[in-house]
Amino acid sequence: MRLIFLDVDYVLNSYRKSKEVYMLTGKRHSGKDFPFDEECMKYLKYIIDETNSYIVISSSWRKYNDHMEVLKDKLIQYNLFDRVIAMTNISCNKESEIKDFLNGISCNFVILDDSYINELNGYLVRTDPYCGLTRENAYEAIKLLKR
């Protein structure tokens, strides 16, 4: 099994997209209203199509039902919602949550996140908040998932 631990902010959305929306509408984002970046979503789909991976939501979005509804709708739009198999438990930090989730599971995995991860750094594909998930990130994730 191959797993993607998925963050949302600055992975599936980007500062670039937020700036673009602001320039067109004059409206700033607010939490769940942060605009998803179509390019980032396409790269997530590409990773999953190439690796047959499943998604584990590790984003803070999982704490809020309204945010999760927005994410669900976006994943459905890209035919990815059926790839979501779980969410990490909420604890003190993301790395602990991922380690707890992986306890006793044998799998290849990658962490798509804009934050730093210490002990699991070898599995991290760190995105740039300005761009979100890029083609280069997607290639790196595929390489890690196929090893």
Side-chain angles (χ1 to χ4, degrees), residues 19 23 31-32 53 65-66 83-84 116 126:
K19 184 177 173 183
M23 297 302 283
K32 68 180 171 67
S53 296
N65 290 335
D66 55 343
R83 305 307 293 181
V84 176
Y116 288 100
R126 189 166 179 268

Side-chain angles (χ1 to χ4, degrees), residues 99-147:
K99 284 180 176 180
D100 287 347
F101 186 90
L102 289 169
N103 190 21
I105 297 175
S106 177
C107 66
N108 288 353
F109 70 94
V110 69
I111 304 164
L112 299 180
D113 206 302
D114 65 302
S115 301
Y116 288 100
I117 304 287
N118 294 325
E119 292 178 40
L120 297 175
N121 192 45
Y123 301 93
L124 174 66
V125 175
R126 189 166 179 268
T127 60
D128 179 335
Y130 184 80
C131 304
L133 187 63
T134 64
R135 178 182 345 181
E136 291 77 19
N137 294 144
Y139 292 154
E140 183 182 356
I142 290 166
K143 183 179 175 183
L144 288 170
L145 287 163
K146 287 187 173 182
R147 64 179 170 189

Side-chain angles (χ1 to χ4, degrees), residues 87-101:
M87 294 185 283
T88 56
N89 289 323
I90 297 169
S91 70
C92 56
N93 70 58
K94 190 173 290 192
E95 189 163 17
S96 296
E97 295 167 359
I98 292 170
K99 284 180 176 180
D100 287 347
F101 186 90

